[in-house]
Amino acid sequence: MRMVILGAPGAGKGTQARLISESQGIPQIATGDILRQAVREGTPLGREAQVYMDRGELVPDSVMIGLIRERLSCEDCANGFILDGFPRTLEQAKALNALLSDLGKPLTHVFDVEVPREELLKRLTGRRVCRQCSASFHLEFNPPRQEGVCDHCGGELFQRADDNAQTVGKRLDVYGEQTKPLTAFYRELGVLTTIDGTRDIGEVRKEFADLLGAVSTKQG
Ligand code: AP5
Ligand code: MG
Ligand code: ZN
């Protein structure tokens, strides 16, 4: 299965992509995580991306498309992948379609996880992320078993630099202007499924599992 998960900042893309990756055995490709790692390592990509990320703006399409082209050519994507945070502009979506149709491997699923803005603000400002494996937790909605420590790998939890109230507002505006229009693009292609992301993590997880089960049986 070759999947895109769309949704606003804080919708739960990363949380659900990780769960699907574990259950389906295909990689989660989170462009935000890849960029944050590049920033930490101080690579040329990281130095370029950091300026945009700190402002809550999008990293240029040419950079992101090159990054995804390279990542999707890796061996571990041969049996499928979950894109979390890509595409985010119409140009990225069109480039992805072109790339996958060249390979004869079009997208099989595009999900749009919908959550209203007030709820997104609460999720983002209370989020804590693992420094080692990037897992997301929430102080109130999804607390780790031990405060400040990742349940999965024991890594240290921290607050993302772009999860402050000001940058969060900007990210949500950028999402509305540049990424939301992708739902119409994918709806027209007939591959879009909308998911109500306001329910708790387990319920959203179950809906994904039901939909994926149903679709994979249908497709054989
Ligand atoms: P990125 O890292 O992708 O951030 P984002 O899109 O803003 O999305 P988030 O990671 O904030 O949210 P999420 O949907 O993954 O939510 P999560 O599961 O963590 O991108 C960061 C930056 O990188 C961008 O601003 C841009 O600069 C750059 N970038 C990345 N990709 C790019 C691209 N393609 N093009 C250009 N630039 C790009 O959940 C959020 C919180 O809510 C957590 O605390 C979680 O525990 C909690 N939660 C999750 N689900 C639920 C639930 N059902 N109920 C209650 N709480 C929940
Ligand atoms: Mg994320
Ligand atoms: Zn971890």
Side-chain angles (χ1 to χ4, degrees):
M1 82 196 27
R2 294 175 294 276
M3 188 186 312
V4 166
I5 304 184
L6 297 171
K13 301 182 295 294
T15 300
Q16 296 297 331
R18 166 180 283 267
L19 295 167
I20 299 168
S21 168
E22 283 166 3
S23 68
Q24 301 286 336
I26 52 176
Q28 168 190 7
I29 302 176
T31 41
D33 292 346
I34 295 172
L35 295 173
R36 276 183 291 279
Q37 188 181 346
V39 168
R40 265 200 309 277
E41 292 171 354
T43 65
L45 168 67
R47 285 199 297 276
E48 180 174 4
Q50 183 165 22
V51 185
Y52 298 98
M53 295 173 81
D54 284 347
R55 289 197 215 121
E57 292 171 3
L58 297 182
V59 175
D61 285 335
S62 55
V63 174
M64 298 310 300
I65 292 165
L67 187 154
I68 280 295
R69 183 176 293 126
E70 201 176 306
R71 182 63 187 89
L72 291 182
S73 71
C74 294
E75 184 73 18
D76 66 336
C77 294
N79 293 324
F81 51 79
I82 306 159
L83 288 171
D84 156 12
F86 186 96
R88 269 168 132 98
T89 64
L90 221 41
E91 188 168 339
Q92 291 180 18
K94 287 179 183 165
L96 177 66
N97 266 8
L99 175 67
L100 295 176
S101 84
D102 284 350
L103 298 171
K105 292 184 163 181
L107 290 172
T108 56
H109 309 76
V110 179
F111 295 107
D112 181 31
V113 183
E114 288 192 329
V115 177
R117 189 175 174 115
E118 313 79 77
E119 175 69 18
L120 295 169
L121 289 169
K122 279 191 242 161
R123 289 190 186 180
L124 291 168
T125 48
R127 171 167 57 186
R128 295 295 180 271
V129 180
C130 176
R131 224 178 260 293
Q132 244 163 252
C133 76
S134 303
S136 275
F137 296 87
H138 192 281
L139 295 178
E140 187 184 341
F141 308 137
N142 183 26
R145 283 192 290 270
Q146 188 187 338
E147 196 186 324
V149 179
C150 175
D151 287 357
H152 306 284
C153 74
E156 181 203 356
L157 302 184
F158 76 107
Q159 184 165 29
R160 263 170 54 177
D162 59 351
D163 277 351
N164 62 78
Q166 193 190 347
T167 314
V168 161
K170 174 71 181 173
R171 285 161 59 205
L172 293 174
D173 292 344
V174 166
Y175 167 78
E177 288 155 21
Q178 304 198 49
T179 309
K180 189 63 194 163
L182 297 192
T183 53
F185 174 80
Y186 285 118
R187 190 173 294 118
E188 268 169 41
L189 292 179
V191 286
L192 187 78
T193 305
T194 302
I195 294 200
D196 170 9
T198 56
R199 295 159 303 164
D200 71 33
I201 294 173
E203 287 173 70
V204 178
R205 172 188 202 166
K206 184 168 182 311
E207 177 161 9
F208 268 108
D210 289 348
L211 287 166
L212 291 172
V215 176
S216 19
T217 319
K218 217 165 42 194
Q219 292 186 340

